[in-house]
Amino acid sequence: MAKYGFIGTGNMAQAMIKGLLAQGVVPSDIAVASPTTAAKLAQAWGVQALSAQQVIQASDLTVLAFLPNQLADVTANLVFEDQLVVSVLAGVSVDQLVTATGSHQVVRTLPNVNVAINQGVTAFATTTLTVANQAIFHDFSTQLGTAIAVPEAQFAAFSAIAGSGPAYVFKFIDALAKAGVANGLADDLATTIATQTVLGSAQMLAASGQSAQVMQDTVASPGGSTRAGLDDFDQQEFDAVVAHAIRATVEHKHA
Ligand SMILES: NC(=O)c1ccc[n+]([C@@H]2O[C@H](COP(=O)([O-])OP(=O)(O)OC[C@H]3O[C@@H](n4cnc5c(N)ncnc54)[C@H](OP(=O)(O)O)[C@@H]3O)[C@@H](O)[C@H]2O)c1
């Protein structure tokens, strides 16, 4: 009996499988199905490549990880009964998942790519799950990072912050590193410094129990150079730039 099944084995499924393997899930406890990539993953990682129906039957929890517009086609000939189904399909509601699969044990999730290193943040909304399925989903999702129950109406906002957010953090690191280079640092060194600074600062903030606003003041002494930089960010309306980009992201996802 496989623990976890994946129907669709693209970027997101592979990120999740990497995260599970890194947590010590044995490859034979993961079953995968897809037209071509599943067989390659079986060879490369030792997971089991099966048909989609076999994956459902063999798994405690089956992840749907193909493209959202494939939902009706892929599920048309599959029998889920009341198996636990976890979807990562962006924009597909719990109700649509119940209709497509016939299962009433359904979780809609929105993971971000950081699940690959067990540092993901995943939004989820569910039907009323059995106690056993709640435990199975809890085990699964917490191996990949943090899982947060989010009302479905807030999935688009969550997606802009957590789903697209990693790209925006990479953009900030890139800008920080480029500024370092402009001020005389070597390229590689500037990137290493900027990356470790963001990583360490996020961990410091998470450990502090303080707000990000308060933590800025702990670094910036009055009249000091960091305060001069923060004041410059404010004059350039940095917060408004970020808010504008997030609005563009949210509106694009609803287009
Ligand atoms: N990428 C992200 O950061 C991200 C974030 C949140 C949510 N999502 C969601 O994750 C889902 C997958 O996205 P992705 O980026 O991983 O896409 P992707 O890399 O394009 O992967 C799509 C997968 O679907 C498989 N597939 C195609 N036809 C199939 C069929 N008939 N039966 C079973 N599998 C089939 C493909 O198989 P082959 O490889 O064998 O062709 C491929 O493995 C989407 O619904 C997306 O909304 C993605």
Side-chain angles (χ1 to χ4, degrees):
M1 177 90 183
K3 262 180 135 166
Y4 303 128
F6 288 82
I7 302 178
T9 51
N11 293 315
M12 181 43 70
Q14 289 182 35
M16 296 172 102
I17 294 168
K18 275 185 197 158
L20 294 168
L21 294 174
Q23 282 296 99
V25 174
V26 291
S28 57
D29 272 348
I30 297 175
V32 293
S34 81
T36 57
T37 309
K40 292 179 189 158
L41 293 186
Q43 278 221 314
W45 294 349
V47 296
Q48 301 180 55
L50 303 172
S51 72
Q53 188 63 55
Q54 287 169 330
V55 165
I56 296 164
Q57 276 152 357
S59 308
D60 294 333
L61 174 163
T62 301
V63 181
L64 306 185
F66 40 79
L67 298 179
N69 63 13
Q70 297 178 300
L71 178 63
D73 279 353
V74 175
T75 56
N77 297 315
L78 296 176
V79 179
F80 289 84
E81 295 180 334
D82 260 343
Q83 291 274 15
L84 179 56
V85 176
V86 173
S87 163
V88 300
L89 278 56
V92 177
S93 69
V94 169
D95 285 351
Q96 288 171 311
L97 292 166
V98 169
T99 302
T101 63
S103 173
H104 293 84
Q105 295 293 297
V106 160
V107 186
R108 173 186 179 184
T109 70
L110 191 49
N112 74 1
V113 291
N114 297 340
V115 293
I117 57 158
N118 314 98
Q119 296 283 345
V121 56
T122 299
F124 69 90
T126 74
T127 53
T128 304
L129 299 183
T130 63
V131 173
N133 282 340
Q134 284 174 32
I136 291 169
F137 176 68
H138 181 266
D139 271 5
F140 171 77
S141 59
T142 54
Q143 289 183 86
L144 299 174
T146 302
I148 304 171
V150 173
E152 286 195 275
Q154 292 174 15
F155 265 53
F158 177 91
S159 174
I161 307 296
S164 307
Y168 304 153
V169 174
F170 300 148
K171 184 162 183 59
F172 181 70
I173 291 172
D174 188 42
L176 212 51
K178 281 178 177 150
V181 170
N183 285 278
L185 294 175
D187 206 345
D188 284 1
L189 183 62
T191 300
T192 301
I193 294 168
T195 304
Q196 183 54 42
T197 300
V198 169
L199 184 61
S201 306
Q203 286 176 343
M204 175 80 107
L205 175 62
S208 71
Q210 302 282 0
S211 70
Q213 181 83 49
V214 165
M215 289 300 282
Q216 289 173 43
D217 293 336
T218 67
V219 183
S221 350
S225 56
T226 306
R227 175 55 56 201
L230 285 173
D231 288 347
D232 197 72
F233 271 122
D234 287 343
Q235 275 161 22
Q236 311 292 327
E237 303 203 2
F238 178 76
D239 289 4
V241 169
V242 173
H244 199 271
I246 296 298
R247 173 66 24 213
T249 312
V250 171
E251 284 174 359
H252 183 77
K253 283 179 189 286
H254 282 304

